[in-house]
Amino acid sequence: MRESMIYATYDQFLKRDRLLPKHELLVIMPSCILVLLIFCGCAAAEPARFDGHKVLQIVPHTTTELENVLALHDLYNLDVWRHPRKHNYSMDVYVEPEKLQPVLTALKDIGADVKIWIDDLQKLIDAERQPSRRRTHVPSQTQRNASLFDHFRFNRFADIKKYLNDVVTLTQSMSTVNASLVKIGDTYLSNEILLLKISRGDGRARPSIFIDGGIHAREWIAPATVLYFIRELVNGGVDDYASQLLDKFDWYLAPVLNPDGYEYSHTNYRLWRKNRVDNGRNCHGTDLNRNFGHNWNPAIGGSTNVCSDVYSGKSAFSEAESRAVESFILNNNKDMIAYLTYHSYGEMWLYPWGYTSALPVDWQDLDSAAKTATSALSELYGTQYLVGSSTNVLYSAAGGSDDWAKGDAGVKYSYTIELRDTGAHGFVLPEDQIRPNGEESWRALRVLALSLSTTRH
Ligand code: 0X9
Ligand code: ZN
Ligand code: ZN
């Protein structure tokens, strides 16, 4: 009774996110179109603002309280930034201002502890970009173009594309490393899905490692991290570590798998997660990490609601981005030893499965390799990653790229890596963390790759 009253009061707001019966839609339509016209008029000029918007940290004490909080989350279609884990029910939840009062009241009734975790999201977004820094060294002629790219900012897709092309040019004059750019697909909005292959270029095929970033639009640290890896690997001519890695493996790196969503999160809505396909009903986007085809099932951690942030898509591989990964990997998986997909946030190194709490038969191999990597990672700045299967440490969600890479493409070491932080900034990680995050992640990758190159499979 009480719940339905709250729901009715906020119906106006929830219509944006939820499916409504037809008669309600008819009532809402005219005002919707008006709002849409106004919104679209300014959206092109200014991204949405989040002044005073809050992220709550909610701590239910018991499983009952947890269930009640999760029910609340469904009711209000709340955006859970960090999910509760086994034995630690604490979670971060973004609450739009319109929903704040009723959500706080309901949480009080439930009895869960609530803290205002982020008080003003816009302030964080404003602080995300650091003031421009002065360039300290003058790059050599051959490095000039590639060096003009600033790895320590959150770059726009056009600049990233230019950088990838410059890396190809740069390596043409290097004898020890070769880079080539492959378009593995085109998005709904006609952006290119690009993959850089980095290898020794001596004509010898090596086992390969596939790395992607940016499946989720708002997780900006992920593309930045993969770009950092590219920067380091291209040093393979001069740097010892990178050199070892190029001796052992061919590298496939796709830093921005979801360019449509990535750009939208820059231009319109910082917290966008999905791609940007038009679903009708004024709703856009499929969650690409619910769209892969190994035991695809919207009922497990996804949704059939086209407006949901975790909409699984019409069917497995309905999306250009997931299909691009599928076909590239199936054509190149002969000796592919690892699939690494970078996300944020939470500082976790996750392995399959996401669709079930059961573990892969060889889970101990994945577990120990991940622990080797994360313990090397922690040596640098003390960042402690949690290692485990995604269902067991996080939550179950079917349709993830990691499950597919292992289950269908047969890539043994398949991981989802949730980068920094653990919630202080969440998705809105400041640019000054790109470097330390990149350094520690590179260290983990190096140690992982070297350990895989010495184990027998
Ligand atoms: O829910 C996800 O897609 C990932 N977390 S995120 O906060 N970056 O959205 C975790 C995916 C773990 N893997 C699977 N569930 N298969
Ligand atoms: Zn399968
Ligand atoms: Zn993600």
Side-chain angles (χ1 to χ4, degrees), residues 205-208 252 328-338 409-412:
R206 294 169 168 83
S208 66
Y252 300 118
F328 183 85
I329 292 186
L330 290 182
N331 285 320
N332 294 279
N333 63 350
K334 207 178 131 285
D335 212 359
M336 194 177 282
I337 186 74
V411 182
K412 178 176 168 96

mmCIF file of all heavy atoms in Angstrom, residues 205-208 252 328-338 409-412:
data_model
loop_
_atom_site.group_PDB
_atom_site.id
_atom_site.type_symbol
_atom_site.label_atom_id
_atom_site.label_comp_id
_atom_site.label_asym_id
_atom_site.label_seq_id
_atom_site.Cartn_x
_atom_site.Cartn_y
_atom_site.Cartn_z
ATOM 1 N N ALA A 205 53.914 -15.777 -35.860
ATOM 2 C CA ALA A 205 52.687 -15.653 -35.072
ATOM 3 C C ALA A 205 52.940 -16.170 -33.667
ATOM 4 O O ALA A 205 53.604 -17.187 -33.475
ATOM 5 C CB ALA A 205 51.558 -16.445 -35.726
ATOM 6 N N ARG A 206 52.462 -15.453 -32.694
ATOM 7 C CA ARG A 206 52.623 -15.857 -31.293
ATOM 8 C C ARG A 206 51.251 -16.063 -30.670
ATOM 9 O O ARG A 206 50.238 -15.626 -31.214
ATOM 10 C CB ARG A 206 53.380 -14.761 -30.539
ATOM 11 C CG ARG A 206 54.825 -14.581 -31.009
ATOM 12 C CD ARG A 206 55.421 -13.319 -30.422
ATOM 13 N NE ARG A 206 56.876 -13.261 -30.618
ATOM 14 C CZ ARG A 206 57.463 -12.844 -31.729
ATOM 15 N NH1 ARG A 206 56.739 -12.475 -32.759
ATOM 16 N NH2 ARG A 206 58.778 -12.803 -31.828
ATOM 17 N N PRO A 207 51.207 -16.702 -29.505
ATOM 18 C CA PRO A 207 49.934 -16.748 -28.779
ATOM 19 C C PRO A 207 49.474 -15.305 -28.544
ATOM 20 O O PRO A 207 50.301 -14.403 -28.473
ATOM 21 C CB PRO A 207 50.289 -17.419 -27.448
ATOM 22 C CG PRO A 207 51.612 -18.058 -27.649
ATOM 23 C CD PRO A 207 52.297 -17.351 -28.773
ATOM 24 N N SER A 208 48.166 -15.117 -28.418
ATOM 25 C CA SER A 208 47.697 -13.735 -28.351
ATOM 26 C C SER A 208 46.902 -13.442 -27.088
ATOM 27 O O SER A 208 46.404 -14.345 -26.403
ATOM 28 C CB SER A 208 46.846 -13.427 -29.583
ATOM 29 O OG SER A 208 45.674 -14.208 -29.554
ATOM 30 N N TYR A 252 46.138 -7.722 -29.033
ATOM 31 C CA TYR A 252 44.985 -7.062 -29.671
ATOM 32 C C TYR A 252 44.344 -6.143 -28.650
ATOM 33 O O TYR A 252 43.916 -6.605 -27.588
ATOM 34 C CB TYR A 252 43.956 -8.102 -30.113
ATOM 35 C CG TYR A 252 44.482 -9.109 -31.112
ATOM 36 C CD1 TYR A 252 44.531 -10.466 -30.795
ATOM 37 C CD2 TYR A 252 44.909 -8.707 -32.379
ATOM 38 C CE1 TYR A 252 44.996 -11.397 -31.713
ATOM 39 C CE2 TYR A 252 45.381 -9.638 -33.306
ATOM 40 C CZ TYR A 252 45.414 -10.985 -32.963
ATOM 41 O OH TYR A 252 45.875 -11.895 -33.864
ATOM 42 N N PHE A 328 35.603 -11.043 -34.489
ATOM 43 C CA PHE A 328 37.072 -10.916 -34.470
ATOM 44 C C PHE A 328 37.697 -12.062 -33.678
ATOM 45 O O PHE A 328 38.650 -12.701 -34.132
ATOM 46 C CB PHE A 328 37.538 -9.572 -33.897
ATOM 47 C CG PHE A 328 39.034 -9.448 -33.955
ATOM 48 C CD1 PHE A 328 39.664 -8.996 -35.100
ATOM 49 C CD2 PHE A 328 39.816 -9.861 -32.876
ATOM 50 C CE1 PHE A 328 41.061 -8.937 -35.179
ATOM 51 C CE2 PHE A 328 41.213 -9.797 -32.943
ATOM 52 C CZ PHE A 328 41.829 -9.336 -34.103
ATOM 53 N N ILE A 329 37.158 -12.328 -32.511
ATOM 54 C CA ILE A 329 37.766 -13.377 -31.681
ATOM 55 C C ILE A 329 37.614 -14.752 -32.327
ATOM 56 O O ILE A 329 38.566 -15.536 -32.373
ATOM 57 C CB ILE A 329 37.199 -13.344 -30.245
ATOM 58 C CG1 ILE A 329 37.667 -12.056 -29.539
ATOM 59 C CG2 ILE A 329 37.640 -14.585 -29.453
ATOM 60 C CD1 ILE A 329 37.301 -11.945 -28.081
ATOM 61 N N LEU A 330 36.440 -15.027 -32.880
ATOM 62 C CA LEU A 330 36.269 -16.348 -33.503
ATOM 63 C C LEU A 330 37.212 -16.541 -34.687
ATOM 64 O O LEU A 330 37.629 -17.657 -34.984
ATOM 65 C CB LEU A 330 34.809 -16.568 -33.920
ATOM 66 C CG LEU A 330 33.821 -16.754 -32.755
ATOM 67 C CD1 LEU A 330 32.410 -17.018 -33.280
ATOM 68 C CD2 LEU A 330 34.269 -17.881 -31.808
ATOM 69 N N ASN A 331 37.586 -15.437 -35.325
ATOM 70 C CA ASN A 331 38.526 -15.550 -36.448
ATOM 71 C C ASN A 331 39.985 -15.569 -35.998
ATOM 72 O O ASN A 331 40.879 -15.806 -36.805
ATOM 73 C CB ASN A 331 38.327 -14.391 -37.438
ATOM 74 C CG ASN A 331 37.073 -14.582 -38.265
ATOM 75 O OD1 ASN A 331 36.769 -15.705 -38.694
ATOM 76 N ND2 ASN A 331 36.314 -13.513 -38.445
ATOM 77 N N ASN A 332 40.227 -15.249 -34.733
ATOM 78 C CA ASN A 332 41.624 -15.117 -34.279
ATOM 79 C C ASN A 332 41.918 -15.858 -32.976
ATOM 80 O O ASN A 332 42.887 -15.550 -32.297
ATOM 81 C CB ASN A 332 41.967 -13.631 -34.092
ATOM 82 C CG ASN A 332 41.945 -12.865 -35.413
ATOM 83 O OD1 ASN A 332 42.898 -12.900 -36.176
ATOM 84 N ND2 ASN A 332 40.833 -12.196 -35.675
ATOM 85 N N ASN A 333 41.052 -16.800 -32.615
ATOM 86 C CA ASN A 333 41.203 -17.411 -31.281
ATOM 87 C C ASN A 333 42.056 -18.677 -31.278
ATOM 88 O O ASN A 333 42.125 -19.371 -30.271
ATOM 89 C CB ASN A 333 39.832 -17.723 -30.667
ATOM 90 C CG ASN A 333 39.059 -18.742 -31.470
ATOM 91 O OD1 ASN A 333 39.450 -19.093 -32.586
ATOM 92 N ND2 ASN A 333 37.960 -19.223 -30.919
ATOM 93 N N LYS A 334 42.685 -18.935 -32.390
ATOM 94 C CA LYS A 334 43.407 -20.191 -32.492
ATOM 95 C C LYS A 334 44.374 -20.375 -31.317
ATOM 96 O O LYS A 334 44.392 -21.410 -30.681
ATOM 97 C CB LYS A 334 44.174 -20.252 -33.818
ATOM 98 C CG LYS A 334 44.401 -21.671 -34.300
ATOM 99 C CD LYS A 334 45.123 -21.684 -35.634
ATOM 100 C CE LYS A 334 46.300 -22.637 -35.631
ATOM 101 N NZ LYS A 334 47.461 -22.164 -34.895
ATOM 102 N N ASP A 335 45.121 -19.353 -31.042
ATOM 103 C CA ASP A 335 46.093 -19.452 -29.954
ATOM 104 C C ASP A 335 45.917 -18.285 -28.988
ATOM 105 O O ASP A 335 46.886 -17.716 -28.512
ATOM 106 C CB ASP A 335 47.510 -19.458 -30.561
ATOM 107 C CG ASP A 335 48.467 -20.295 -29.728
ATOM 108 O OD1 ASP A 335 48.043 -20.837 -28.689
ATOM 109 O OD2 ASP A 335 49.654 -20.389 -30.126
ATOM 110 N N MET A 336 44.641 -17.931 -28.753
ATOM 111 C CA MET A 336 44.371 -16.799 -27.852
ATOM 112 C C MET A 336 44.315 -17.332 -26.427
ATOM 113 O O MET A 336 43.515 -18.201 -26.108
ATOM 114 C CB MET A 336 43.054 -16.123 -28.242
ATOM 115 C CG MET A 336 42.874 -14.751 -27.585
ATOM 116 S SD MET A 336 41.355 -13.931 -28.114
ATOM 117 C CE MET A 336 41.808 -13.306 -29.742
ATOM 118 N N ILE A 337 45.196 -16.797 -25.593
ATOM 119 C CA ILE A 337 45.331 -17.356 -24.256
ATOM 120 C C ILE A 337 44.539 -16.558 -23.215
ATOM 121 O O ILE A 337 44.077 -17.094 -22.213
ATOM 122 C CB ILE A 337 46.830 -17.462 -23.864
ATOM 123 C CG1 ILE A 337 47.003 -18.166 -22.530
ATOM 124 C CG2 ILE A 337 47.525 -16.144 -23.858
ATOM 125 C CD1 ILE A 337 46.769 -19.639 -22.625
ATOM 126 N N ALA A 338 44.352 -15.251 -23.487
ATOM 127 C CA ALA A 338 43.648 -14.431 -22.494
ATOM 128 C C ALA A 338 42.714 -13.430 -23.153
ATOM 129 O O ALA A 338 43.019 -12.877 -24.222
ATOM 130 C CB ALA A 338 44.650 -13.701 -21.599
ATOM 131 N N ALA A 409 34.229 -19.099 -26.987
ATOM 132 C CA ALA A 409 35.421 -18.885 -27.822
ATOM 133 C C ALA A 409 36.609 -19.703 -27.313
ATOM 134 O O ALA A 409 37.639 -19.788 -27.976
ATOM 135 C CB ALA A 409 35.775 -17.401 -27.878
ATOM 136 N N GLY A 410 36.452 -20.297 -26.118
ATOM 137 C CA GLY A 410 37.500 -21.172 -25.614
ATOM 138 C C GLY A 410 38.770 -20.468 -25.174
ATOM 139 O O GLY A 410 39.843 -21.068 -25.153
ATOM 140 N N VAL A 411 38.663 -19.185 -24.805
ATOM 141 C CA VAL A 411 39.839 -18.470 -24.296
ATOM 142 C C VAL A 411 39.932 -18.753 -22.796
ATOM 143 O O VAL A 411 39.051 -18.368 -22.028
ATOM 144 C CB VAL A 411 39.720 -16.947 -24.561
ATOM 145 C CG1 VAL A 411 40.960 -16.226 -24.064
ATOM 146 C CG2 VAL A 411 39.476 -16.680 -26.041
ATOM 147 N N LYS A 412 41.000 -19.435 -22.425
ATOM 148 C CA LYS A 412 41.067 -19.970 -21.057
ATOM 149 C C LYS A 412 41.041 -18.878 -19.984
ATOM 150 O O LYS A 412 40.224 -18.898 -19.071
ATOM 151 C CB LYS A 412 42.328 -20.825 -20.894
ATOM 152 C CG LYS A 412 42.487 -21.373 -19.473
ATOM 153 C CD LYS A 412 43.706 -22.290 -19.378
ATOM 154 C CE LYS A 412 44.053 -22.596 -17.930
ATOM 155 N NZ LYS A 412 43.501 -23.853 -17.438
#
